[in-house]
Each structure stands twice: as structure tokens, then as C-alpha cells.
């Protein structure tokens, strides 16, 4: 670096340091590192693919005594609620888009807080943790380490920015009150169904394609895509993980891996979370892998997540996958 350039960098660094965090949005010294090749599957490049269509005509789901018209299904302001009798009455923000308001939570997190493939599950997360995360999405301290290609994270950021404080608190109280339920099936294998990225940047099966070697990665797709697309609240995801991943992950979680900080020391003895700390058991492996890398890379930053920096600092990509496979396989 030549001298004037060095001086300019120094002045810039000083200016950054002088910036009061109260006055400006926090500035990042450098962009977070994108995922390494071994984790690229968790951040598939979202192609300019068309949005999937609902099947034409009225729809029903097995075991649910209800027929939904195609107009109801396609109403962007009100995601269909198939089982209103099986959850508490949701606050408006969960199920209705007010004029000019954000997309309703249930569109992606369902009314029972189980994640659409690619989104996080919210049922039973601590309320304080949910409101804190909404604030982090708003503040810019929670982005994706592969920001340009993550339409789903961008959508969540847009939702958080569109919420009033009251709506955020109501949505958090609602989802925190719901019971956690299993929605992930973890399968150890060498070959998995072939998958590709879809419009939102998450994996979906390639119809009629032959199975592919997993090569140390993970394929995580909707267990039943047509039912997931209709937002059947009883559906979930299947994650194909490398052989041996669950046992290796269990050892890492127990010992705390290279940092020797057992995950349960903060996330609760059964990994089901506690005040301010989210549960890890039974969560989507693809989501967990993204979060562990986003935290490690600094894409998720701020005071609360700082506690995670030591536990993730020396984890290798393969260890991150093993940990996520084990956690996903636990009963939530
Ligand atoms: C358009 C889809 C969409 C909508 C609508 C949406 N979310 Fe999300 N949400 C996501 C996605 C995708 C993620 C995961 C982001 C990532 O992987 O980086 C997420 C993550 C979250 C998280 C983080 C969970 C964790 O464990 O840290 C919270 C909290 C959350 N959403 C709350 C809400 C609430 C409350 C609403 C309604 C006010 C809402 N979301 C509406 C897509 C959505
Ligand atoms: C010193 C306490 C501590 C330890 C040890 C710890 N965590 Fe965490 N972890 C936290 C806190 C606090 C958060 C919530 C951060 C926030 O509010 O943004 C968190 C968040 C996470 C998240 C994000 C979850 C979500 O809902 O998005 C994951 C994944 C995670 N931890 C995994 C682990 C794993 C795996 C280990 C063990 C290798 C571990 N943690 C060890 C304190 C800890």
C-alpha cells in the first residue's frame, strides 16, 4: 500500500472509531465473509425462477374438514389458516396485512410457528429473544453472509422494518406461547435426492432426477412440497446428512468442540433454550448451519450474539454440519 493510500485508510478507520453508536447505524469494518464451498449448499444462489403456482381450483388437505377456494389461497393479505381451532387466536399482524404493512408472519412461519422450508421455526422461542431479533433485523446487525443472493433473509428484514413496536411485541408473545413440535426428519445417507435452488434461495427437489452423492453436504427439502406450498401446518422438512454426522455432532455439542464451551451450558441442559437463549433441539439443520456461519462471519453481530463468538470461532465447516445434523435430530 502506498503512503497516501495508507493515510486515507487510517483517516477512515479513525472516522469509523469516532462514530457514536447512538447517532448512526452500526458500521461494519468489513463485509462478512461469504460461506466456504463446503457450506454453499445452505445458501443456494436464487435463480430468477418463476414463483410456484398453487394447483388450480379449490383445495383440501387430508384429515382437515375444510375446502379452500383458489381466491382464498391467492390472497396475499391473509395466508390461509387451515386449523384455527388448534392454536390461540393470533394477533392481526400474524395473519393479516394491514394497508401498507408488512407481509403477515403466518405466510412464512405458519400459524403454529413451524417454519416454511427455508424460514426459521418460531414456536416456543423466548418472547424476549424474538423481539430482540426483530430489532436486529431492523438495525442491520442481522443480515445474511451472502446478502445479495438471499431473498428470504431480505424479506424478513423488510418485514421487521415494517412492524410497529406494538405489532412486534404481539407477534413475539403469540409465537412464544405456542408449543414446540417436531417438524424435522434427519436421514444419514451417502446419496440423496437431487436438489436445486428455487426462487427464494432454498433447496427443492428436481423432479425425476437420479439421486446424487451427498459429498459431505446436506440436502434439506420439504417433506411433501405440495402440502408445504399449501401451508399444511402438520408438514415439515427432511434433511439428508452425511453418514456419522449425528454421532460426531453429539460429541461436539457435549464437549463444546474446539472452544470447549458445551452448548448446553447456555442453551439449557436439554438444548431447549432458556430466557434470552433460543432452543436448538429439533430445528432445521439448514437454518442452523446458516446461523452458525452467519454468526462466525459477523453477518449476525451485536451484544447478545457476542456470547456465541467463542463457541463458533474454531468450528470447521464439517463440524458445523455435524452439529446441525445432531441438533436437528433431537426432539424439540
Ligand atoms: C416472507 C417470509 C417471511 C415473513 C412474512 C416473516 N418472516 Fe420471519 N423469517 C423469514 C426467514 C426466511 C427467516 C430466516 C432468515 C435467515 O435464514 O437469515 C426468518 C427468521 C425470523 C426470526 C429469527 C428466528 C431465530 O431463531 O432467530 C424471527 C424472530 C422472525 N423471523 C419473526 C417473524 C415475525 C414475528 C414475522 C411477522 C411479523 C415474520 N417473521 C414474518 C421469513 C419471513
Ligand atoms: C456462552 C453462552 C453460549 C454458548 C456456550 C453457546 N451459545 Fe449459542 N447462543 C447464545 C446466545 C445468547 C444466543 C442468542 C444470540 C442473540 O440473541 O442474537 C445464541 C444463539 C445461537 C444460535 C442461533 C439460533 C437462532 O435461533 O437463530 C445457534 C445456532 C447457536 N447459538 C448454536 C450454538 C451451538 C451449536 C453451541 C455449542 C457449540 C452454542 N450455541 C454455544 C449463547 C451461547
Amino acid at each position: 500500500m502506498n503512503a497516501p493510500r495508507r493515510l486515507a485508510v487510517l483517516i477512515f478507520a479513525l472516522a469509523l472509531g469516532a462514530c457514536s453508536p447512538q447517532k448512526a447505524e452500526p458500521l461494519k469494518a468489513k463485509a462478512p465473509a461469504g460461506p466456504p464451498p463446503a457450506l454453499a449448499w445452505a445458501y443456494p444462489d436464487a435463480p430468477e425462477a418463476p414463483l410456484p403456482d398453487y394447483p388450480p381450483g379449490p383445495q383440501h388437505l387430508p384429515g382437515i374438514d375444510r375446502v379452500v377456494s383458489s381466491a382464498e389461497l391467492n390472497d396475499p393479505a391473509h395466508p390461509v389458516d387451515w386449523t384455527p381451532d388448534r392454536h390461540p387466536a393470533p394477533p392481526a399482524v400474524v395473519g393479516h396485512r394491514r394497508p401498507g404493512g408488512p407481509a403477515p408472519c403466518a405466510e412464512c412461519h405458519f400459524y403454529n410457528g413451524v417454519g416454511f422450508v427455508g424460514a426459521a421455526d418460531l414456536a416456543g422461542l423466548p418472547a424476549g429473544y424474538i423481539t430482540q431479533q426483530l430489532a436486529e433485523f431492523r438495525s442491520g446487525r442481522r443480515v445474511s453472509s451472502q446478502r445479495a443472493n438471499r431473498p428470504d433473509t431480505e424479506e424478513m428484514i423488510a418485514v421487521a422494518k415494517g412492524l410497529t413496536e406494538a405489532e412486534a411485541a404481539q407477534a413475539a408473545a403469540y409465537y412464544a406461547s405456542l408449543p414446540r413440535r417436531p417438524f424435522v426428519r434427519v436421514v444419514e445417507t451417502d446419496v440423496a435426492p437431487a436438489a436445486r435452488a428455487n426462487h427464494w434461495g432454498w433447496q427443492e427437489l428436481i423432479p425425476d432426477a437420479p439421486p446424487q452423492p451427498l459429498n459431505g453436504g446436506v440436502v434439506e427439502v420439504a417433506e411433501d412440497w405440495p402440502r408445504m406450498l399449501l401451508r399444511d401446518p402438520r408438514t415439515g422438512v427432511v434433511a439428508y446428512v452425511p453418514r456419522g454426522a449425528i454421532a460426531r455432532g453429539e460429541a461436539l455439542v457435549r464437549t463444546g468442540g474446539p472452544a470447549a464451551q458445551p452448548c448446553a451450558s447456555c442453551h439449557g441442559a436439554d438444548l431447549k433454550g432458556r430466557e434470552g437463549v433460543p432452543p436448538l433441539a429439533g430445528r432445521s439443520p439448514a437454518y442452523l448451519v446458516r446461523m452458525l456461519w452467519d454468526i462466525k462471519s459477523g453477518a449476525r453481530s451485536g451484544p447478545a450474539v457476542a456470547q456465541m463468538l467463542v463457541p463458533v470461532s474454531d468450528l470447521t465447516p464439517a463440524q458445523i454440519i455435524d452439529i446441525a445434523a445432531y441438533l436437528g435430530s433431537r426432539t424439540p
Side-chain angles (χ1 to χ4, degrees):
M1 209 188 284
N2 60 30
R5 176 107 187 273
R6 215 178 302 146
L7 186 65
V9 168
L10 183 66
I11 291 169
F12 182 62
L14 287 173
L16 275 183
C19 230
S20 143
Q22 282 87 15
K23 277 193 224 143
E25 288 222 331
L27 286 173
K28 291 228 176 66
K30 60 183 169 67
L39 302 183
W41 59 267
Y43 299 80
D45 274 351
E48 289 288 324
L51 279 164
D53 281 330
Y54 291 115
Q59 298 297 317
H60 67 93
L61 291 171
I64 295 180
D65 188 16
R66 198 171 161 201
V67 176
V68 168
S69 72
S70 109
E72 280 176 278
L73 264 182
N74 287 294
D75 180 356
H78 177 47
V80 169
D81 188 353
W82 289 96
T83 52
D85 50 334
R86 289 191 212 164
H87 56 74
V93 63
V94 167
H96 290 272
R97 188 199 283 260
R98 65 176 152 77
C105 320
E107 183 182 313
C108 306
H109 299 290
F110 294 7
Y111 290 92
N112 66 351
V114 165
F116 202 85
V117 62
D121 57 307
L122 300 183
L125 301 192
Y129 173 76
I130 297 179
T131 39
Q132 177 65 30
Q133 295 312 304
L134 293 170
E136 299 297 6
F137 283 121
R138 267 199 305 275
S139 73
R141 288 196 299 211
R142 185 168 171 176
V143 295
S144 174
S145 51
Q146 199 169 3
R147 195 165 186 176
N149 292 319
R150 299 302 307 161
D152 57 356
T153 313
E154 290 298 304
E155 281 186 348
M156 186 55 227
I157 291 169
V159 167
K161 287 185 171 163
L163 291 172
T164 65
E165 290 292 326
E167 286 170 334
Q170 288 158 3
Y174 174 75
Y175 281 115
S177 78
L178 301 178
R180 293 191 56 69
R181 64 179 281 275
F183 75 106
V184 176
R185 188 165 63 95
V186 178
V187 178
E188 288 193 353
T189 180
D190 299 319
V191 287
R196 65 183 171 210
N198 72 2
H199 173 91
W200 290 290
W202 31 264
Q203 292 174 294
E204 67 179 14
L205 294 182
I206 308 173
D208 305 322
Q212 301 280 322
L214 210 46
N215 285 336
V218 173
V219 167
E220 184 177 305
V221 290
E223 186 84 70
D224 182 330
W225 171 237
R227 279 171 65 177
M228 174 77 67
L229 184 61
L230 290 174
R231 293 178 173 71
D232 183 339
R234 302 157 306 172
T235 193
V237 298
V238 50
Y240 299 93
V241 303
R243 274 197 204 284
I246 295 177
R248 290 190 300 268
E250 177 171 17
L252 287 162
V253 166
R254 277 237 170 93
T255 58
Q261 281 199 36
C263 313
S265 64
C266 294
H267 288 274
D270 46 11
L271 302 162
K272 294 185 181 180
R274 55 185 177 78
E275 194 52 42
V277 189
L280 301 176
R283 305 198 68 185
S284 139
Y287 175 73
L288 292 171
V289 164
R290 271 204 309 283
M291 289 311 114
L292 290 170
W293 183 262
D294 285 354
I295 292 169
K296 190 174 154 90
S297 71
R300 256 182 92 165
S301 61
V305 84
Q307 294 180 58
M308 275 296 295
L309 290 178
V310 171
V312 295
S313 57
D314 291 323
L315 290 178
T316 65
Q319 288 175 323
I320 287 179
I321 290 175
D322 291 344
I323 287 174
Y326 168 67
L327 294 172
S329 75
R330 305 303 295 159
T331 309

